[in-house]
């Protein structure tokens, strides 16, 4: 073999990297120039912590990184740092998030724009590393925004946009960026980081009333006066959540101008014009769902895919519009909710609730991928097949299917 | 059950050992995936998520996967391969060939029939083929084998292994690997890759799996509610499974599970067949009874209860950690390579802990 000549790769692919989701999110934290990071290990979140620690020790940026003694302390640290005016990053997974639940709920009521990574992980046959959504979905009710990335690229982008939305004075709510554990956090895939056009996207964080004597004395999240107990405190959060919709739209419009990607704010759909059947899902397996739809389109079947990018605020109106003409919906659902309406997953039942107000009611079937066992395209094709048959007959045999289960699906 | 979507992709898989090879394995797949990107393919790489790379010597697996403009990469975090996926297999430590992987499957399980195998070893190819034929075939193999003594080129063994891989495998071009090194700021490794590429001598291989090929498991009917006997039968089948497919078959149906995350046994004196550790070992303790003073220190210090009261090692549970040899006051215990203990052959290509890159990626 004679001497090998390298191709001029730098000009071929100037900007793309192959990064894991955890690395991509850490890069976003660096770009956001976060001041305080609170860490406590649990896979898959741990990867972000490792990447950030490495970046800080390599001098790539500087931030206080505080390793807490538990997830509860970790979220408390982020909460308090945010209250004094720091931009903060925190995160966890699985039972770790649930252990921090008390701090997590108060962060929202205190309207502190903490951004947290939720690296979704099963709850918790000890040692179950599999991916389920329940660890994050349980925080749907408390005033956190929750967005759901589909890949490492979007995880980076969403993290940046999360700071912009959370810190906006119309919102001032904390924000989970949820990513599917393993499938996004630990698989390295092509990512193009933003270039200098990102400058100015994220103005410095200036809380209206920081806990800082320089700005005058304030007390935050004090013991509530009896006369204040009532719905008013909740309404303030409700109003912020409502206002967040326009802020999210603005932020993604601005972000899309600065990168070579464009994102619809709330829903992403593929092959939905003229679709009779829709796959509805979130997260990493969207890619496989789109692949399945494309394949079935090749056989003349009118199948499309709709993906929620936000779980809070929930894009109910957008879903009603986008699913207006479909006859059947296959929900790819990585959440369970034992004893829920029709024993479906939390994701499924919320979709059903949203479509309850739709003018036409499609058949909605739940395909529940519980327990962290990974499904594959074969399962997704089967889900569409079952939905198609149910639509043809005009009624479903049943509403909920466990396709990856070993044993009888009773 | 084969899923054609995954078989159309190009896969390389790297078998290595936790801590010793974690960063080396990551370097290898990172470079490979970047080379794929240079070649215009959509490329991914990752570590098998259920492995525990923070634990010394535990077998672990990395993957690089590439589509191309006509083949979409469909996501599949490769816990259990479905079908014949892998085009190339790299083994960073030849002692991994002696045992099944941490997933209790065979190294050549989940591979395409014409797969390329690259082994970092000082052993001659015939010995490698012998052991592969004896212990690692899931189906017939008509591919090629290349042995390389990676450390003699560079302590960062990923790079010579990449050179050998490029020589034996048409899935990646050496030009693209060199391009990837540039992109990753590892341009100085280009000469190592080229040198190994020049020296590597792949040989064609044809091995028949014979009756070792995949069989069907006999499992009892689940009777709608759990009972101990049925559970035990599944447990034994899982421990004895030789391929991913068999292992999946042996996983209990939900009806077989006792409520409340119960595992039965073992009773005293019985082996816990689901938790043996031979795959963790590339060294094992050998006790010289002539020197032993019967002081019992090794017995007390062994963290896995594998050293018996009479200084007899239980190889089902010994992880080869070397603590017993370390604590023995009269140096009656020496750590011997697995190849040497089993086959009387010395493997010179073991990385020392000093040569492990102390980086941690996940
Ligand atoms: S090497 Fe020695 S101490 Fe370590 S597990 Fe084996 S018998 Fe026990
Ligand atoms: S530590 Fe050494 S001398 Fe003591 S019992 Fe074990 S082998 Fe024998």
């Amino acid at each position: 073999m004679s001497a090998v000549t390298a191709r001029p790769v730098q000009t071929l692919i100037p900007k793309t990297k192959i990064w894991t989701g955890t690395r991509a999110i850490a890069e976003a934290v660096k770009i956001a120039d976060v001041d305080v990071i609170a860490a406590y290990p649990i896979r898959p979140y741990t990867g972000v912590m490792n990447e950030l620690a490495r970046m800080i020790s390599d001098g790539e940026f500087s931030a206080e990184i505080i390793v807490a003694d538990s997830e509860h302390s970790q979220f408390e640290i982020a909460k308090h740092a945010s209250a004094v005016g720091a931009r903060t990053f925190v995160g966890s997974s699985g039972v770790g998030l649930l252990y921090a639940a008390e701090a997590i709920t108060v962060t929202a009521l205190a309207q502190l724009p903490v951004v947290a990574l939720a690296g979704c992980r099963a709850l918790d046959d000890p040692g179950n590393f599999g991916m389920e959504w329940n660890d994050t979905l349980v925080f749907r009710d408390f005033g956190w925004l929750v967005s759901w990335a589909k890949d490492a690229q979007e995880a980076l982008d969403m993290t940046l946009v999360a700071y912009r939305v959370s810190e906006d004075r119309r919102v001032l709510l904390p924000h989970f960026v949820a990513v599917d554990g393993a499938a996004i956090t630990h698989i390295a895939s092509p990512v193009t980081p933003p270039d200098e056009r990102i400058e100015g996207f994220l103005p410095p964080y200036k809380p209206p009333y920081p806990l800082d004597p320089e700005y005058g004395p304030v007390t935050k999240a004090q013991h509530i006066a009896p006369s204040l107990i009532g719905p008013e405190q909740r309404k303030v959060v409700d109003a912020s959540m409502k206002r967040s919709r326009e802020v999210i739209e603005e932020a993604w419009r601005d972000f899309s101008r600065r990168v070579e990607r464009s994102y619809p704010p709330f829903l992403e759909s593929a092959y939905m014009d003229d679709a009779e059947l829709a796959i509805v899902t979130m997260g990493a397996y969207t890619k496989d769902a789109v692949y399945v739809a494309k394949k079935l389109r090749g056989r003349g079947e009118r199948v499309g895919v709709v993906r929620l990018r936000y779980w809070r605020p929930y894009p109910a109106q957008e879903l009603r519009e986008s699913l207006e003409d479909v006859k059947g919906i296959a929900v790819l659902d990585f959440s369970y909710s034992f004893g829920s309406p029709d024993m479906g997953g939390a994701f499924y039942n919320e979709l059903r609730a949203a479509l309850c107000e739709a003018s036409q009611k499609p058949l909605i079937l739940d395909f529940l991928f519980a327990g962290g066992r990974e499904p594959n395209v074969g399962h997704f094709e089967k889900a569409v097949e079952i939905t198609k048959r149910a639509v043809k007959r005009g009624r479903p045999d049943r509403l909920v299917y466990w396709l990856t289960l070993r044993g009888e699906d009773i | 059950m084969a899923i054609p979507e995954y078989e159309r992709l190009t896969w390389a898989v790297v078998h290595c050992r936790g801590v010793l090879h974690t960063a080396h394995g990551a370097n290898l797949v990172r470079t490979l995936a970047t080379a794929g990107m240079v070649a215009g393919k959509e490329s991914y790489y990752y570590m098998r998520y259920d492995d525990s790379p923070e634990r010394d010597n535990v077998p672990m697996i990395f993957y690089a996967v590439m589509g191309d403009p006509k083949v979409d990469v469909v996501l599949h975090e490769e816990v259990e391969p479905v079908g014949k996926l892998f085009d190339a297999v790299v083994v960073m430590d030849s002692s991994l060939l002696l045992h099944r992987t941490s997933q209790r499957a065979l190294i050549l399980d989940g591979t395409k029939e014409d797969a390329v195998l690259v082994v970092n070893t000082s052993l001659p190819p015939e010995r490698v083929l012998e052991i592969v034929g004896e212990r690692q075939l899931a189906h017939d193999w008509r591919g090629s084998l290349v042995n390389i003594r990676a450390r003699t080129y560079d302590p960062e063994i990923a790079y010579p292994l990449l050179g050998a891989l490029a020589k034996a495998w048409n899935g990646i071009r050496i030009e693209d690997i060199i391009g990837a090194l540039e992109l990753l700021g590892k341009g100085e490794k280009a000469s190592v890759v080229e040198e190994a590429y020049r020296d590597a001598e792949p040989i064609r291989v044809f091995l028949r799996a014979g009756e070792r090929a995949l069989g069907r498991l006999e499992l009892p009917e689940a009777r709608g509610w759990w009972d101990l006997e049925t559970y035990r039968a599944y447990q034994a089948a899982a421990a004895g499974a030789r391929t991913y497919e068999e292992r999946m078959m042996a996983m209990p149906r939900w009806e077989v599970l006792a409520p409340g995350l119960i595992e039965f046994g073992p009773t005293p004196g019985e082996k816990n067949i689901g938790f043996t550790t031979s795959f963790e070992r590339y060294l094992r303790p050998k006790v010289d009874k002539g020197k032993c003073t019967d002081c019992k220190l090794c017995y007390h210090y062994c963290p896995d209860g594998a050293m018996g009261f009479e200084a007899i090692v239980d190889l089902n549970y010994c992880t080869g950690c070397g603590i017993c040899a370390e604590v023995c006051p009269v140096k009656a215990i020496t750590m011997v390579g697995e190849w040497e203990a089993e086959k009387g052959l010395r493997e010179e290509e073991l990385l020392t802990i000093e040569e492990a890159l102390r980086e941690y990626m996940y």
Side-chain angles (χ1 to χ4, degrees):
Chain A
M1 166 90 203
S2 57
V4 182
T5 41
R7 290 208 259 156
V9 286
Q10 297 289 6
T11 56
L12 256 178
I13 21 172
K15 291 178 230 149
T16 304
K17 318 278 184 191
I18 304 186
W19 281 345
T20 59
T22 53
R23 169 75 186 267
I25 292 161
E27 293 285 337
V29 172
K30 177 170 91 180
I31 294 168
D33 195 15
V34 164
D35 306 306
V36 175
I37 298 161
Y40 186 79
I42 185 168
R43 203 189 300 180
Y45 155 79
T46 312
V48 185
M49 188 180 99
N50 291 350
E51 292 290 358
L52 287 168
R54 182 190 57 73
M55 286 171 172
I56 290 167
S57 87
D58 288 356
E60 289 181 29
F61 80 114
S62 82
E64 284 297 332
I65 184 162
I66 303 171
V67 181
D69 65 354
S70 71
E71 288 89 351
H72 186 277
S73 315
Q74 194 194 352
F75 276 78
E76 283 291 340
I77 289 165
K79 181 177 94 184
H80 289 94
S82 183
V84 299
R87 180 172 285 161
T88 57
F89 178 78
V90 65
S92 191
S93 298
V95 283
L97 280 169
L98 272 79
Y99 185 48
E102 192 244 1
I104 289 175
T105 51
V106 181
T107 305
L109 295 176
Q111 296 217 239
L112 294 166
V114 168
V115 171
L117 167 70
C120 300
R121 169 173 172 176
L123 295 173
D124 189 57
D125 327 299
N128 188 341
F129 293 133
M131 195 281 286
E132 281 181 331
W133 292 341
N134 283 69
D135 60 351
T136 310
L137 295 189
V138 293
F139 294 107
R140 67 188 182 180
D141 299 332
F142 309 124
W144 281 67
L145 280 69
V146 184
S147 64
W148 223 282
K150 69 167 176 183
D151 55 21
Q153 177 74 66
E154 199 182 40
L156 189 159
D157 298 347
M158 262 184 183
T159 307
L160 283 170
V161 172
Y163 283 106
R164 162 97 168 235
V165 174
S166 284
E167 292 170 5
D168 191 293
R169 297 220 173 173
R170 290 166 287 175
V171 180
L172 288 176
L173 286 176
H175 197 316
F176 276 120
V177 177
V179 294
D180 293 345
I184 295 178
T185 54
H186 282 60
I187 294 188
S189 62
V191 175
T192 310
D195 56 26
E196 59 292 338
R197 282 172 293 172
I198 201 67
E199 291 281 323
F201 174 72
L202 205 54
Y205 168 44
K206 289 216 180 64
Y209 306 106
L211 280 184
D212 184 337
E214 230 178 79
Y215 297 86
V218 291
T219 310
K220 211 164 165 44
Q222 79 282 26
H223 198 281
I224 193 165
S227 57
L228 283 177
I229 289 175
E232 293 77 18
Q233 309 281 353
R234 301 290 177 269
K235 198 64 188 175
V236 176
V237 176
D238 179 55
S240 293
M241 192 55 94
K242 284 174 175 151
R243 285 193 298 262
S244 73
R245 288 184 47 93
E246 56 169 333
V247 180
I248 288 168
E249 282 173 18
E250 274 170 34
W252 283 106
R253 218 176 302 128
D254 185 17
F255 187 80
S256 297
R257 275 197 308 110
R258 295 165 184 268
V259 293
E260 267 109 50
R261 301 175 281 285
S262 78
Y263 288 105
F266 289 108
L267 285 189
E268 186 183 61
S269 47
Y271 306 114
M272 280 305 291
D273 315 329
D274 86 342
E276 286 183 343
L277 298 177
I279 300 172
V280 177
T281 192
M282 303 192 286
Y285 291 91
T286 305
K287 189 167 191 219
D288 298 38
V290 171
Y291 175 87
V292 166
K294 184 169 140 196
K295 189 170 154 185
L296 296 175
R297 284 261 163 190
R299 295 191 207 141
E301 299 189 27
R302 282 149 66 180
V303 181
V305 180
V306 175
R307 169 177 75 99
L308 281 74
R309 299 183 68 240
Y310 281 82
W311 168 257
R312 287 294 180 267
Y314 193 89
Q317 188 51 36
E318 285 82 356
L319 277 165
R320 287 196 279 265
E321 279 160 22
S322 128
L323 298 167
E324 201 170 23
D325 299 321
V326 305
K327 301 201 170 71
I329 297 174
V331 180
L332 307 183
D333 190 350
F334 293 79
S335 69
Y336 56 84
S337 178
F338 302 126
S340 68
D342 294 306
M343 308 287 170
F347 180 68
Y348 169 70
N349 271 320
E350 195 127 333
L351 178 71
R352 290 208 304 178
L355 294 189
C356 191
E357 296 299 322
S359 45
Q360 318 235 5
K361 301 223 171 45
L363 282 180
I364 313 174
L365 303 189
D366 194 18
F367 297 92
L368 229 163
F369 299 106
R373 178 171 307 139
E374 202 198 9
N376 56 46
V377 293
H379 296 111
F380 302 151
E381 271 176 58
K382 196 164 168 198
V384 176
E385 189 55 46
I386 292 170
T387 311
K388 193 174 88 182
R389 276 205 312 265
V391 166
K392 211 175 214 168
R393 269 204 323 276
R395 68 186 157 77
D397 286 335
R398 58 195 296 175
L399 293 173
V400 182
Y401 292 82
W402 295 47
L403 294 185
T404 46
L405 180 75
R406 297 183 179 115
E408 194 192 346
D409 187 6
I410 59 168
Chain B
M1 177 184 47
I3 310 275
E5 277 75 13
Y6 303 113
E7 296 188 345
R8 283 164 63 213
L9 301 169
T10 305
W11 297 83
V13 48
V14 181
H15 289 266
C16 46
R17 289 194 183 276
V19 182
L20 271 186
H21 301 122
T22 311
H24 297 289
N27 281 348
L28 201 156
V29 288
R30 186 189 293 125
T31 312
L32 209 51
T34 308
M37 185 173 79
V38 172
K41 299 174 177 184
E42 185 186 358
S43 304
Y44 291 61
Y45 72 87
Y46 54 100
M47 182 194 78
R48 212 193 83 90
Y49 186 67
D50 280 4
D51 287 336
S52 301
E54 68 279 16
R55 292 171 205 176
D56 288 7
N57 309 338
V58 170
M60 56 181 297
I61 299 177
F62 284 96
Y63 304 93
V65 55
M66 295 170 236
D68 69 34
K70 283 194 234 74
V71 183
D72 296 315
V73 177
V74 269
L75 182 83
H76 187 62
E77 198 259 322
E78 199 40 62
V79 173
E80 282 121 359
V82 275
K84 295 179 179 174
L85 302 186
F86 307 131
D87 300 88
V89 182
V90 179
V91 175
M92 288 195 157
D93 171 349
S94 68
S95 67
L96 290 160
L97 295 169
L98 294 167
H99 303 288
R100 287 176 293 165
T101 68
S102 59
Q103 286 310 294
R104 300 175 184 280
L106 311 171
I107 298 269
L108 288 193
D109 191 11
T111 53
K112 292 184 179 129
E113 276 190 21
D114 60 353
V116 170
L117 175 63
V118 180
V119 184
N120 174 29
T121 183
S122 63
L123 301 171
E126 357 14 306
R127 304 318 296 265
V128 171
L129 284 182
E130 219 173 272
I131 203 76
V132 168
E134 198 180 292
R135 300 188 188 181
Q136 300 295 348
L137 286 187
H139 50 68
D140 292 351
W141 176 34
R142 310 156 193 273
S144 44
L145 168 74
V146 53
N147 279 4
I148 176 161
R149 303 188 61 168
R151 209 172 39 155
T152 61
Y153 294 85
D154 196 295
E156 292 194 39
I157 61 175
Y159 302 105
L161 286 167
L162 275 164
L165 179 65
K167 181 80 161 270
W169 184 36
N170 59 16
I172 197 77
R173 300 181 340 145
I174 183 144
E175 290 85 344
D176 298 330
I177 293 178
I178 307 290
L181 292 173
E182 292 275 317
L183 269 183
L184 293 168
K186 284 278 186 184
E188 81 276 6
K189 296 292 177 191
S191 58
V192 174
V193 174
E194 286 174 14
E195 212 184 316
Y197 181 90
R198 220 169 16 241
D199 297 350
E201 290 175 4
I203 55 170
R204 297 290 307 162
V205 173
F206 178 35
L207 289 183
R208 274 195 177 286
E211 79 262 26
R212 271 185 301 275
L214 176 73
R216 275 208 69 84
L217 298 180
E218 292 295 330
L219 286 164
E221 277 285 310
R223 270 163 284 181
W225 193 238
W226 66 277
D227 69 80
L228 187 55
E229 201 185 312
T230 313
Y231 183 84
R232 292 275 201 199
Y234 275 89
Q235 201 183 30
R242 295 162 303 172
T243 60
Y244 291 106
E245 199 142 351
E246 284 185 350
R247 201 171 70 84
M248 283 202 270
M249 271 191 255
M251 288 295 169
R253 299 160 53 99
W254 71 265
E255 297 93 333
V256 175
L257 302 176
L261 308 173
I262 295 286
E263 284 254 9
F264 294 104
T267 46
E270 206 184 11
K271 303 253 182 250
N272 194 343
I273 49 183
F275 288 87
T276 53
T277 56
S278 36
F279 50 70
E280 281 188 40
R281 222 170 38 229
Y282 67 97
L283 296 169
R284 67 170 70 163
K286 199 172 140 213
V287 183
D288 181 343
K289 283 286 175 192
K291 285 196 197 158
C292 172
T293 60
D294 202 22
C295 73
K296 313 288 187 203
L297 268 184
C298 56
Y299 166 79
H300 286 292
Y301 273 86
C302 173
D304 286 281
M307 182 60 85
F309 198 61
E310 310 294 340
I312 296 166
V313 183
D314 184 341
L315 290 172
N316 281 303
Y317 298 117
C318 170
T319 63
C321 69
I323 289 172
C324 52
E326 201 65 41
V327 299
C328 175
V330 294
K331 302 265 165 284
I333 304 179
T334 39
M335 296 303 289
V336 185
E338 280 291 290
W339 266 102
E340 196 168 337
E342 281 214 23
K343 299 276 175 188
L345 293 168
R346 277 189 71 81
E347 171 61 89
E348 315 276 354
E349 286 304 315
L350 290 175
L351 277 191
T352 62
I353 200 74
E354 289 74 33
E355 287 164 316
L357 297 172
R358 307 298 284 188
E359 285 171 21
Y360 187 64
M361 171 188 172
Y362 290 91

